[in-house]
Amino acid sequence: MYSHQPGNVAPPKNSSESSTPVESDSKHGTNPATTNGYQDTMPKSTTALTPSLSPATRLKHKLQHNKDLIVCPGVYDGLSARIAQTVGFETMYMTGAGSTASMLGMADLGVASRNDMVTNADMIANLDPHHCELIADMDTGYGGPLTVTKTVNQYIRANVAAFHIEDQVLAKRCGHLSGKKVVPTDIYLSRIRAARAAIDLAQSDIQLIARTDANQQHGYDECIARLKAARDLGADIGIFEGFKSKEEAVNAVKELAPWPLLLNIVENGHSPLITVDEARQMGFRIMIFSFAGVIPAYMAIKNVYEKLKYQGVTGIQGCGVGPKELFDICGLQEAMEVDEVAGGADFKSV
């Protein structure tokens, strides 16, 4: 994994973090710490990861010690996340577009607030934090350096494993809509600096993903320049959003190697479709399918509602999924076990 100097920002002299000497973990650029009851430092070996490690530490370990491609479905609420876990995904991606549509019923035009996104990420990340890692959209960071810092700290406390922050203007839009505008490079890099400094001060392993949307407005070379600058400031991973061709994707991986890149797939969007096998061959390290949950959900729900409207039935009778089966996906058995361990009998029979 690409090695960087962690932030170049020292904690204040009166900081409680700096008042007690802590042995530095120079290999990984962080100091030993714990977050939310989890061990938040890298294991000294590449043996099996344990649930005692934070989701951020587990993801960091996978990126450093496992060269395979990490494939993540896009999730946007508790049910979609539960389904992804049931299928067997260990790493998921909380899509900003899907979250905005699901929580607010609105288009992804920068209307989701910091609190909206933090609340959703917190809920999803903690459904099963011992075994699953969540990569979350952080949009533009929602303001200047102070706001970026506050948001990063909230994502850390929420057990988010990684987040991406981008260079669009505050009145942003989905990366696969036309008319995108990005901020000047110095403002973008101030977001990266603030995020890196917040992570280092918190002594967290949360992975900082620098995203650029500059391709539509400024072209390929500007994207590479911005990502290289973000990398040099300590971003752990990069996203080149909105590839115009597969050749651009291949070249970006080569130009930025060995720094890991994340590939965002949006079917029917502005970029060519790249398969998992192709992304693996190209050398991407993480692959997210942002609309893999929300669009199929829209199609299925619309189909049932149309049947109800025009035929007077839903068509789901006999499908094999009733309330009990749905609740099983949503942790019914685990909830029953919690009640039983505590000596309760309220849910012994459901």
Side-chain angles (χ1 to χ4, degrees):
M1 193 169 180
Y2 185 83
S3 175
H4 61 76
Q5 294 301 315
N8 299 322
V9 178
K13 291 183 179 179
N14 61 351
S15 165
S16 60
E17 286 84 354
S18 61
S19 60
T20 303
V22 180
E23 183 178 352
S24 175
D25 180 1
S26 59
K27 181 179 179 183
H28 303 292
T30 59
N31 291 328
T34 58
T35 304
N36 292 340
Y38 293 100
Q39 179 185 340
D40 206 26
T41 55
M42 293 291 290
K44 294 181 180 179
S45 70
T46 59
T47 55
L49 299 177
T50 65
S52 64
L53 296 172
S54 73
T57 300
R58 292 199 307 270
L59 180 60
K60 181 177 181 179
H61 188 276
K62 288 177 181 178
L63 286 166
Q64 291 189 341
H65 299 290
N66 184 345
K67 298 304 180 185
D68 198 11
L69 178 67
I70 299 172
V71 180
C72 311
V75 300
Y76 53 89
D77 64 3
L79 180 58
S80 60
R82 288 286 197 181
I83 294 169
Q85 292 170 357
T86 301
V87 170
F89 285 101
E90 294 180 353
T91 310
M92 304 176 294
Y93 170 66
M94 188 191 84
T95 156
S99 297
T100 303
S102 177
M103 291 188 299
L104 305 177
M106 298 185 72
D108 184 14
L109 299 176
V111 295
S113 70
R114 182 187 78 224
N115 288 338
D116 289 330
M117 298 295 280
V118 169
T119 299
N120 207 37
D122 193 337
M123 179 271 295
I124 295 173
N126 288 290
L127 289 173
D128 188 6
H130 298 291
H131 302 99
C132 292
E133 301 94 42
L134 182 69
I135 300 171
D137 191 345
M138 196 187 280
D139 295 317
T140 62
Y142 311 105
L146 292 177
T147 306
V148 170
T149 298
K150 184 175 180 64
T151 310
V152 169
N153 285 325
Q154 288 177 306
Y155 272 46
I156 290 171
R157 290 194 295 271
N159 271 331
V160 170
F163 64 88
H164 64 75
I165 187 167
E166 68 196 42
D167 56 359
Q168 283 200 59
V169 297
L170 291 179
K172 60 148 289 175
R173 63 196 64 195
C174 171
H176 288 260
L177 293 178
S178 300
K180 289 191 296 182
K181 288 183 170 45
V182 295
V183 296
T185 301
D186 60 335
I187 295 177
Y188 171 50
L189 296 181
S190 75
R191 296 172 182 175
I192 302 299
R193 286 192 192 93
R196 183 74 258 167
I199 293 168
D200 292 343
L201 192 60
Q203 301 180 5
S204 171
D205 281 334
I206 193 170
Q207 298 292 279
L208 167 56
I209 306 172
R211 165 174 156 169
T212 180
D213 286 73
N215 201 22
Q216 192 179 99
Q217 185 179 0
H218 297 299
Y220 175 87
D221 290 341
E222 177 68 13
C223 289
I224 294 298
R226 288 183 177 221
L227 288 176
K228 284 182 177 179
R231 176 192 66 187
D232 293 344
L233 288 175
D236 299 294
I237 304 160
I239 299 180
F240 186 129
E241 183 66 7
F243 287 116
K244 296 174 183 175
S245 66
K246 291 185 179 181
E247 289 72 26
E248 281 191 344
V250 170
N251 291 336
V253 173
K254 288 180 179 177
E255 287 198 54
L256 293 163
W259 196 47
L261 287 189
L262 182 155
L263 175 62
N264 181 24
I265 292 298
V266 176
E267 297 86 349
N268 307 310
H270 284 186
S271 293
L273 181 64
I274 296 174
T275 67
V276 169
D277 286 341
E278 286 176 320
R280 185 180 287 115
Q281 266 191 330
M282 291 176 181
F284 285 97
R285 294 304 319 281
I286 304 175
M287 190 176 191
I288 59 176
F289 288 80
S290 296
F291 286 81
V294 67
I295 287 182
Y298 158 73
M299 294 169 63
I301 292 170
K302 183 173 181 285
N303 180 55
V304 170
Y305 287 178
E306 285 176 343
K307 282 185 179 177
L308 179 60
K309 174 71 173 175
Y310 299 110
Q311 300 176 27
V313 294
T314 62
I316 62 175
Q317 179 67 28
C319 72
V321 179
K324 173 93 166 35
E325 289 75 21
L326 179 64
F327 299 153
D328 280 339
I329 292 171
C330 293
L332 176 61
Q333 294 302 316
E334 292 92 332
M336 293 169 66
E337 290 170 8
V338 168
D339 185 64
E340 184 179 355
V341 167
D346 292 337
F347 304 111
K348 199 158 194 172
S349 176
V350 295

